[in-house]
Amino acid sequence: MKRVQLAAVEAGSVHNNLVLLADKDHLDALGALLAAGEWAFLRQSALQDVSSFSFPRAEGLVFVRILKPEKDPFIALEDARLAGNELLSELRRYKIETVGIQNLCAENRALAFAEGLALGSYQFLKYFTKPAEKTLQEIRLGPESANPMDIAEANALLEAVFLTRDMVNEPHSHFNSVQLGDAVELAAKTFGFEADILGKEKIEALKMGGLLAVNRASQVPPRFCVLEWKPTDAKNAKPVVLIGKGVVYDTGGLSLKPSEAMDYMKCDMAGAATVVGALAVAARTKLPIHIIGLIPVTDNKIGENALSPGDVITMGSGKTVEVVNTDAEGRIILADALHYAKKYEPSLVLDLATLTGSAVRALGTQAICYMGTAPKVIKNTLEESGFATYERLVELPLWKEFGDELKSNIADFKNLGSSNAGMITAGKFLENFIDYPWLHLDIAGPAYLRVANGYRTKEGTGVGVRLLYNFLKKQYS
Ligand code: BES
Ligand code: ZN
Ligand code: ZN
């Protein structure tokens, strides 16, 4: 399916359908662009706080959107993204396929407006048999609204977010562990990064006992994907490693989930999809940063040979784990990936995972729970990227006492603590498998939405792609 793109056009280009983006304190700039009647009507209504207008003309529609002044630069950008998304219902009503945006604001927010419009226009229609209706294809921006380099960067990001959303939205019936591996290979070819998809024999040779244990009841073999973007001009001597949880479907295993907690568990590979999206945008924009992506992939199913509560397994690192609950499977497969990452002597490792229901209960869908051992300056940069992209994060502590809950009578650790602070004990479990600066992002809340929220479309949101790109760019280049 062809997806919307931004296009850089020349100054003075004529648009049939045009958005005039104005700012509440500087309405006069609109006067010259509107007909006398339109201008008079707008001025009157603006006094009563009306902020959106549509004027029909012979050649198309002129939409005026008036943004309120906002001191916080991050909220100002988010307001513009949301205003962009809100335009969509009108574009759909008139089946408009191309629209121009002209900035008249003192602080230019046209690119953010276009980003919200483009992100909100995403649809996943693959499995409908009815032909798709005409939808938005192109958002045109002249030099007064955005420069061509920024437009190209925004397009790369959009493409990556759409790739991540597509992967999450694929149902498990059409996206098992082998198919996820194939999709990574295809993305690598399309975007220009390297990918090595390890099969079961290699996973066995690497003694990844965690990944193999979770996969035990599966009809489909596991995969371990190694992605790499290594530009010759990389600014970092030691790579950044991104790890993504790739559970293509989580039934809970023998610790079976109830149906209402299972029906959307195709989303349990959202961390994996975000890592693929991050490598895609890095390669597309030729980001001068050496990045490795690691993705352990399996489903978590029931069957004759299933891993059972009470079992003891030996992990890739050699440590033993008492599996008291097979539904806490994400940390088990991530642990093998975290251990594998040591061989790169990484400067920083970030893992992303739909890891715990506790993260959702604590922060809902608006924020990522994160924790880790990386220095404070890195955490500050990440949090700032969170506000800049509005993929916001809240830090939780990794105090040693939380780890006490993971003591086992029979093995090195249990895979589950008490019912309290589950997102932290999950982090404490992972901490046993690292020897480098590390950040763990629990994206269980914002990765998947049952109903759309602004430009975050329903089902897979692609959360983390814009965040990681913004962060890596700031931190390393
Ligand atoms: N995949 C789930 C976590 C999850 C919950 C993801 C909601 C997306 C939305 C994870 O594997 C899991 O099942 N975690 C359990 C652990 C349980 C054994 C306490 C949880 O946190 O509920
Ligand atoms: Zn689970
Ligand atoms: Zn899971």
Side-chain angles (χ1 to χ4, degrees), residues 245 247 249-252 257 265 267-269 300 326-331 333 353-356:
K245 173 178 173 183
V247 173
Y249 196 80
D250 184 9
T251 69
K257 286 181 184 296
M265 274 303 140
C267 78
D268 216 12
M269 36 58 71
N300 184 26
T326 61
D327 196 12
E329 83 298 339
R331 64 200 73 181
I333 69 168
T354 45
L355 205 62
T356 67

Side-chain angles (χ1 to χ4, degrees), residues 335-412:
D336 279 350
L338 288 165
H339 173 71
Y340 186 87
K342 291 172 188 161
K343 73 171 199 177
Y344 298 105
E345 296 178 18
S347 54
L348 177 65
V349 175
L350 291 112
D351 78 70
L352 294 100
T354 45
L355 205 62
T356 67
S358 321
V360 191
R361 286 190 291 277
L363 297 178
T365 58
Q366 287 294 340
I368 299 168
C369 278
Y370 91 102
M371 55 208 92
T373 61
K376 193 73 194 149
V377 281
I378 293 184
K379 289 178 176 173
N380 290 343
T381 308
L382 183 70
E383 285 185 28
E384 184 169 299
S385 292
F387 286 112
T389 56
Y390 240 62
E391 299 188 336
R392 294 165 293 177
L393 309 103
V394 175
E395 187 183 4
L396 291 167
L398 277 176
W399 299 328
K400 130 177 160 324
E401 291 74 10
F402 288 106
D404 295 343
E405 292 188 6
L406 298 174
K407 284 189 182 134
S408 162
N409 292 331
I410 183 169
D412 295 338

Side-chain angles (χ1 to χ4, degrees), residues 116-132:
L117 175 57
L119 287 169
S121 77
Y122 170 92
Q123 292 175 292
F124 188 75
L125 302 173
K126 199 172 158 187
Y127 297 105
F128 287 106
T129 53
K130 193 171 98 191

